[in-house]
Amino acid sequence: MAKLDILTYPDPRLHTVAKPVKEVDDRIRQLVKDMAETMYEAPGIGLAATQVNVHEQVVVIDVSETRDALQVFINPEIVWASDNRKVWEEGCLSVPEVYDRVERPDRVRVRALNEKGETFELDADDLLAVCIQHEMDHLLGKVFVEYLSPLKQNRIKSKLHKRERARM
């Protein structure tokens, strides 16, 4: 399996809207494996295909303590969201070492395809609900920092630009 490169905010490719997967085939299953390896190595708890410059609706998530409960969401859609909202501190593999508070529905129901191409629905709450919403935002071309004030967004961009220049 290949470890994929993760795009870093504010890379404009992170704002590309992902297209639905037409067929869950061996190419998509390999993408899922590569994304899972990349997510675990990073280390992270979720990764959207957009973050690895593949603009198709594929998400991998593992919020387990043991890192052995991979969940795959292909062409995910939220079919229900709670009116109750909760604030969580979020981070993102595309925005390294930046964490901030984002308010989202505290429970969601998502419908998607699994890696076999089978449709399923899942009710999620707590961290899994946050992670699903966060990763689905990526498929829509949105990064979590865009929920923050313009001032915070500019500070984050400056911080990441400085870090990038220091590496060169």
Side-chain angles (χ1 to χ4, degrees), residues 67-135:
R67 316 281 288 143
D68 62 356
L70 183 69
Q71 294 178 284
V72 177
F73 301 85
I74 299 169
N75 298 340
E77 61 177 311
I78 292 177
V79 295
W80 175 83
S82 166
D83 290 333
N84 294 333
R85 299 178 69 79
K86 188 169 183 180
V87 175
W88 284 81
E89 185 164 274
E90 295 188 25
C92 182
L93 295 176
S94 291
V95 192
E97 299 173 29
V98 173
Y99 302 89
D100 215 314
R101 298 165 61 83
V102 177
E103 182 179 318
R104 299 184 184 271
D106 68 348
R107 294 177 297 141
V108 296
R109 178 175 299 127
V110 63
R111 179 182 303 133
L113 301 174
N114 64 20
E115 63 273 23
K116 296 176 186 171
E118 302 163 337
T119 301
F120 70 94
E121 283 193 10
L122 174 74
D123 289 330
D125 59 9
D126 297 325
L127 183 57
L128 180 57
V130 170
C131 196
I132 288 169
Q133 293 171 82
H134 176 110
E135 299 308 333

Side-chain angles (χ1 to χ4, degrees), residues 116-160:
K116 296 176 186 171
E118 302 163 337
T119 301
F120 70 94
E121 283 193 10
L122 174 74
D123 289 330
D125 59 9
D126 297 325
L127 183 57
L128 180 57
V130 170
C131 196
I132 288 169
Q133 293 171 82
H134 176 110
E135 299 308 333
M136 287 181 65
D137 276 353
H138 281 298
L139 300 179
L140 298 172
K142 187 169 186 174
V143 181
F144 91 97
V145 297
E146 292 166 29
Y147 286 101
L148 308 177
S149 72
L151 177 64
K152 281 188 176 183
Q153 288 180 48
N154 286 332
R155 285 183 180 160
I156 291 166
K157 285 178 189 175
S158 294
K159 178 180 177 179
L160 294 175

